[in-house]
């Protein structure tokens, strides 16, 4: 993983190669059978597509089959899922999956327009509503429906900033308080600046190999116990309910079933907290709290690194940063590092099973991964 | 497949739904396990990403796992390959793969910039060279190196236009002569207007299912005997040789090996003739002629629909049209129709094995599919 930064000065290729080289070196592999690249906005922001062959060339690995996979802000998670499915095909043994996004060096309107490509241009994006505006509607409805205060929800970014203090790759290594969240500038009522993830550049990559082969490359392999993707209607107006993401429920229910576990077995969590409200909703939709009660886990300290369900232990999207097409790969890489006991100052204790949830658009695509320590 | 047209007036969703609905109805399926969408330029041209969830919603199939797959002009072929690999994973039984591109309604400079996203923005596209300019360099080098005339190469678009006369979905249903190619306006020396595919809107879709299951949905199933992708350096200046696409050679050699055949067993061909020179080179790189002798097949009539190796029997990229992210799916669908004896007035006789070659960028990504009639 590269550090996430809004002033990296690095190109898409620079970022990708930095992360991919780390992954290749860490695994000690000398060949790659295929390359999957998750990215959302390069066509719009960099006028650059064909990232598969671009990155293969930049890595000196031209020849290998390459795939750019896009699923809006879930592109990284979806790319890992596509790679995992390819692994199951039995045709390939060593698969490199990376995610990359470069969001700095552009104006806020440019990036805002880019992010709205996740929504329907003809019916929603064209009205002028922004991504944070749509999430603000969800937050408003959630607070109203469940009588939850902004103070309670604001604990989520506070947790993430706390965790990011120990992550040298985090974009925002700065402790914040609930009061600071509530007093930060209003972006889209009720969401304030510190409810929102920032814009940053970053790339993350990981190496997938079949179970037995993986032991050749590491002493502490991590198993993908389940990898699922689900979709939902692209737009909020097409849904019966705003305060739950059915794609999260679908993807995670199926993942728990495939892995043969229940939420009670999970002891590590990375959720897609692009906005504070999404972090809270994820705790519920993933099965860790009943609807409307997600903030109770925060009240009780359960999501802290020393709690029962350490959540976003490297800082999450809010504080580690959210280079959108890369975030899903960051999350899965962070869960893997925790399970490998290689999380440095962010290390939690006794994690055996971790879940990463990656969300694209307003919950229209969700990728869920369950990782398990191989003993 | 939708008709290819530069004046469709249809949105990305309209186009995709039209093709996908045909595929779903033809197969008579009532469920889809996952959806793969090939597209190259929607982020740049339509400011629309997240085509997976967008199209699933448009089809009323929200919920299913969705993937947008991009590999420049090979996006369609790469999407079919990704779907075929997913099928082999055993996790899914019915996979819908579609490709879509909308290129009309934009200025030529806009589309030209969009197409150049297939090349390296920082080192090549930024110089101002266009896609046809790069292909013109290849044509010039090829003509010089092998002493082949433009007259010989121009037989390729003539063949395609001849075949397209019988294809009701073709963009250009107009017979042309070698003389007309040579006298058409110069675009990038030596390539003239009729050496180049046009800009059009279109979508194509197909249904993949495991071999035995496929018989439930059709009386004339077609087997994907091989599906391969290979890459090459993104840019021409990084290659030792301009007049061959190593990615074509790599992808097709592997495909022949997987299918257990040689080029001599192939009796139907769809090649990526975005420019006339690419059609000729493909005949060679795919193993049907020695380097520099591809035009001999045209001289001898072997590529005609009643020849030994019917090529681009529906009109190819030149005359059926080249909606870039969809073209690979058109090609594979057309091969399938031929093998199913459902090619209408374009039908060739006695085709058992067909090959489709889909090229992205200047040969930096190539997807090769070998289809075989199931008896």
């Amino acid at each position: 993983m590269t550090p996430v930064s809004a002033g990296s000065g690095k190109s898409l290729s620079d970022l990708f190669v930095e992360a991919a080289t780390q992954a290749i070196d860490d695994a000690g592999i000398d060949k790659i059978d295929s390359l999957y690249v998750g990215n959302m906005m390069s066509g719009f922001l960099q006028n650059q597509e064909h990232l598969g062959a671009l990155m293969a060339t930049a890595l000196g690995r031209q020849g290998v089959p390459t795939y750019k996979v896009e699923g809006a802000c879930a592109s990284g998670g979806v790319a890992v899922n596509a790679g995992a499915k390819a692994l199951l095909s039995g045709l390939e043994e060593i698969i490199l999956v990376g995610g990359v996004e470069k969001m700095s060096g552009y104006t806020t309107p440019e990036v805002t327009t880019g992010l709205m490509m996740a929504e329907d241009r003809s019916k929603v994006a064209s009205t002028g509503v922004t991504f944070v505006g749509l999430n603000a509607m969800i937050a408003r409805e959630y607070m109203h429906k469940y009588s939850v205060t902004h103070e309670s929800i604001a604990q989520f970014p506070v947790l993430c900033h706390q965790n990011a203090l120990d992550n040298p790759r985090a974009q925002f290594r700065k402790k914040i308080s609930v009061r600071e969240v509530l007093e930060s500038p209003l972006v889209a009522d009720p969401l304030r600046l510190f409810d929102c993830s920032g814009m940053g550049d970053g790339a993350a990559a990981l190496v997938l190999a079949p179970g037995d082969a993986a032991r050749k490359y590491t002493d502490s392999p991590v198993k993908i116990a389940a990898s699922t993707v689900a979709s939902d209607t692209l737009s909020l107006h097409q849904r019966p309910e705003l305060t739950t993401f059915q794609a999260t429920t679908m993807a995670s229910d199926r993942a728990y079933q495939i892995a043969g576990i229940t939420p009670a077995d999970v002891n590590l969590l990375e959720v897609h907290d692009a906005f504070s409200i999404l972090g809270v909703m994820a705790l519920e939709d993933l099965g860790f709290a009943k609807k409307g009660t997600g903030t109770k886990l925060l009240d009780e300290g359960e999501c802290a690194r020393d709690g029962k369900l350490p959540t976003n232990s490297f800082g999450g999207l809010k504080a580690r940063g959210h280079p959108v097409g890369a975030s899903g790969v960051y999350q899965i890489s962070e869960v893997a590092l925790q399970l490998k006991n290689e999380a440095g100052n962010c290390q939690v204790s006794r994690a055996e099973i971790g879940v990463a949830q990656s969300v694209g658009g307003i919950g229209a695509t969700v990728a869920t991964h369950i990782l398990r320590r191989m003993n």
Side-chain angles (χ1 to χ4, degrees), chain A residues 318-342:
Chain A
K318 173 65 194 83
R320 174 246 292 127
H322 183 27
V324 295
S327 291
V329 187
Y330 273 93
Q331 294 175 307
I332 295 165
S333 302
E334 289 164 351
V335 170
L337 285 183
Q338 289 286 11
L339 300 182
K340 289 162 71 68
N341 257 312
E342 294 176 10

Side-chain angles (χ1 to χ4, degrees), chain A residues 119-141:
Chain A
E119 250 289 0
D120 188 336
R121 171 72 35 194
S122 66
K123 300 194 189 71
V124 177
S126 52
T127 66
V129 66
T130 63
F131 218 66
V132 57
L134 291 169
N135 282 278
M137 291 184 207
I138 291 175
R140 177 65 71 203
E141 167 75 359

Side-chain angles (χ1 to χ4, degrees), chain A residues 39-168:
Chain A
N39 171 268
M40 177 184 176
M41 298 194 288
S42 74
F44 179 76
L45 288 179
Q46 283 85 37
N47 294 357
Q48 180 71 67
E49 288 290 355
H50 216 173
L51 295 194
L54 177 68
M55 299 313 173
T57 304
L59 288 169
R61 306 272 172 168
Q62 61 271 13
V64 301
T66 67
Y67 306 83
K68 172 183 159 181
V69 178
E70 187 270 337
C73 308
S75 296
V78 175
V80 175
N81 172 268
K85 284 209 282 190
L87 202 61
L88 286 183
S89 77
L91 298 174
E92 293 155 15
E93 188 173 290
I94 308 287
I95 296 179
L96 182 69
V97 183
V100 63
E101 201 80 56
K102 181 172 173 60
M103 302 167 77
S104 77
Y106 304 92
T107 64
T108 300
E110 282 170 339
V111 178
T112 300
T113 301
L115 291 169
M116 275 303 277
M117 296 193 302
E119 250 289 0
D120 188 336
R121 171 72 35 194
S122 66
K123 300 194 189 71
V124 177
S126 52
T127 66
V129 66
T130 63
F131 218 66
V132 57
L134 291 169
N135 282 278
M137 291 184 207
I138 291 175
R140 177 65 71 203
E141 167 75 359
Y142 181 95
M143 290 163 66
H144 172 75
K145 181 167 184 176
Y146 297 113
S147 299
V148 173
T149 63
H150 196 176
E151 283 82 350
S152 291
I153 295 168
Q155 294 179 93
F156 208 97
V158 170
L159 166 76
C160 289
H161 276 252
Q162 176 66 40
N163 287 343
L165 288 174
D166 300 315
N167 177 5

Side-chain angles (χ1 to χ4, degrees), chain A residues 350-370:
Chain A
R350 296 180 314 276
E352 295 284 333
I353 297 177
V355 168
Q357 173 228 27
S358 179
V359 179
I362 319 288
T365 297
V366 174
T368 301
H369 285 82
I370 300 179

Side-chain angles (χ1 to χ4, degrees), chain A residues 14-349:
Chain A
D14 293 341
L15 292 161
F16 192 87
V17 167
E18 185 178 329
T21 303
Q22 285 175 33
I24 290 168
D25 290 351
D26 178 62
I29 52 176
D30 51 15
K31 67 151 187 171
I32 298 171
D33 292 328
S34 66
L35 172 64
Y36 286 76
V37 180
N39 171 268
M40 177 184 176
M41 298 194 288
S42 74
F44 179 76
L45 288 179
Q46 283 85 37
N47 294 357
Q48 180 71 67
E49 288 290 355
H50 216 173
L51 295 194
L54 177 68
M55 299 313 173
T57 304
L59 288 169
R61 306 272 172 168
Q62 61 271 13
V64 301
T66 67
Y67 306 83
K68 172 183 159 181
V69 178
E70 187 270 337
C73 308
S75 296
V78 175
V80 175
N81 172 268
K85 284 209 282 190
L87 202 61
L88 286 183
S89 77
L91 298 174
E92 293 155 15
E93 188 173 290
I94 308 287
I95 296 179
L96 182 69
V97 183
V100 63
E101 201 80 56
K102 181 172 173 60
M103 302 167 77
S104 77
Y106 304 92
T107 64
T108 300
E110 282 170 339
V111 178
T112 300
T113 301
L115 291 169
M116 275 303 277
M117 296 193 302
E119 250 289 0
D120 188 336
R121 171 72 35 194
S122 66
K123 300 194 189 71
V124 177
S126 52
T127 66
V129 66
T130 63
F131 218 66
V132 57
L134 291 169
N135 282 278
M137 291 184 207
I138 291 175
R140 177 65 71 203
E141 167 75 359
Y142 181 95
M143 290 163 66
H144 172 75
K145 181 167 184 176
Y146 297 113
S147 299
V148 173
T149 63
H150 196 176
E151 283 82 350
S152 291
I153 295 168
Q155 294 179 93
F156 208 97
V158 170
L159 166 76
C160 289
H161 276 252
Q162 176 66 40
N163 287 343
L165 288 174
D166 300 315
N167 177 5
R169 290 179 293 263
Q171 183 172 10
F172 302 113
R173 300 182 70 186
K174 174 180 181 287
K175 197 174 160 72
I176 59 171
S177 66
V178 166
R179 170 174 293 267
E180 283 173 296
V181 176
L182 298 182
E183 290 178 354
S184 64
L186 193 62
V187 181
D189 195 14
L191 297 181
R192 292 176 176 269
L193 189 63
F194 289 175
D195 287 298
C196 310
S197 55
M199 305 192 297
D201 305 345
L206 43 80
V207 173
L208 304 179
D212 291 337
R215 293 191 190 277
K216 286 190 279 186
Y217 305 107
T218 176
D219 294 332
S220 53
V222 170
K223 177 178 179 169
I224 300 180
S227 173
T228 58
V229 173
S231 61
D232 198 353
T233 62
L234 199 65
S235 305
L236 292 182
H237 67 266
Q238 298 164 314
R239 302 198 195 148
E241 167 62 44
L242 294 186
T243 62
T244 187
F245 283 165
Q246 208 176 337
T248 297
T249 311
M250 283 180 68
S252 62
D253 283 355
R254 194 149 146 254
Y256 292 138
Q257 190 188 354
I258 292 171
I261 65 167
T262 71
D265 299 312
V266 175
N267 32 40
L268 182 72
L269 191 57
E270 287 294 327
V271 300
H272 190 97
D273 63 315
F275 302 96
S276 53
I277 181 63
L278 298 190
V280 171
M281 278 169 55
L283 294 173
E284 302 165 0
D285 291 340
L286 289 167
F288 300 104
K290 284 204 298 196
K291 284 314 295 180
T293 69
T295 58
K296 298 236 183 320
L297 297 180
L298 301 165
D299 296 338
E300 294 158 7
E302 295 214 7
C303 295
R305 274 214 297 264
D306 59 359
K308 240 181 73 184
L309 183 67
T311 300
N312 292 12
S313 62
F314 284 80
L317 276 57
K318 173 65 194 83
R320 174 246 292 127
H322 183 27
V324 295
S327 291
V329 187
Y330 273 93
Q331 294 175 307
I332 295 165
S333 302
E334 289 164 351
V335 170
L337 285 183
Q338 289 286 11
L339 300 182
K340 289 162 71 68
N341 257 312
E342 294 176 10
N345 290 336
C346 295
Q347 186 66 50
V348 303
S349 57

